[in-house]
Amino acid sequence: MSNTKVLPLLESESVTPCCPPLAERPMNAAEAETAAPMFKALGDPVRLRLFSAVASHEGGEACVCDISDVGVSQPTVSHHLKKLKEAGLLTSERRGTWVYYRVEPSVLAAMGRLLAPAPAAA
């Protein structure tokens, strides 16, 4: 049984990417400064696993209690989740004693747009 889910398509107007697609033209210094924190945050294997766990979690959000089994202590998990939030990759909401994390669809869409290949020449 597959746990693949169909995500709704977003209108391009709802996505505000930081930069044009990498294949479109070289980034200028300001665009690189804007995009670098996102890539830096995802450059750590634990952060990448946490980001993936949140992004793929049923319902599009995950309680920290459901994603903390990544081979590091709870304070370290909290540190990495904080870094992902600072990079703009996650949002969070406290509900009682637990914190729930979500990857906004616009973030995934903007990342996909940034990394999109150049259109094939006709």
Side-chain angles (χ1 to χ4, degrees):
M1 178 188 265
S2 171
N3 67 356
T4 303
K5 37 186 177 173
V6 177
L7 298 176
L9 294 176
L10 299 174
E11 295 299 323
S12 61
E13 296 83 35
S14 69
V15 177
T16 309
C18 71
C19 322
L22 295 175
E24 185 177 296
R25 65 170 173 76
M27 283 184 167
N28 64 36
E31 292 166 341
E33 287 290 327
T34 301
M38 174 185 70
F39 288 109
K40 183 176 181 180
L42 292 175
D44 181 279
V46 172
R47 288 184 201 146
L48 187 55
R49 288 182 66 200
L50 288 168
F51 183 75
S52 173
V54 172
S56 64
H57 202 269
E58 185 177 335
E61 68 178 8
C63 174
V64 68
C65 60
D66 294 328
I67 59 170
S68 59
D69 187 19
V70 290
V72 296
S73 67
Q74 180 56 48
T76 303
V77 167
S78 295
H79 167 77
H80 287 303
L81 289 169
K82 178 182 174 188
K83 293 297 183 182
L84 289 167
K85 281 183 60 177
E86 288 172 353
L89 297 170
L90 294 180
T91 59
S92 67
E93 178 185 349
R94 179 170 292 282
R95 297 181 197 155
T97 59
W98 296 109
V99 177
Y100 287 77
Y101 291 89
R102 172 180 295 280
V103 177
E104 294 299 326
S106 62
V107 170
L108 290 176
M111 288 172 60
R113 211 162 166 207
L114 179 65
L115 298 172

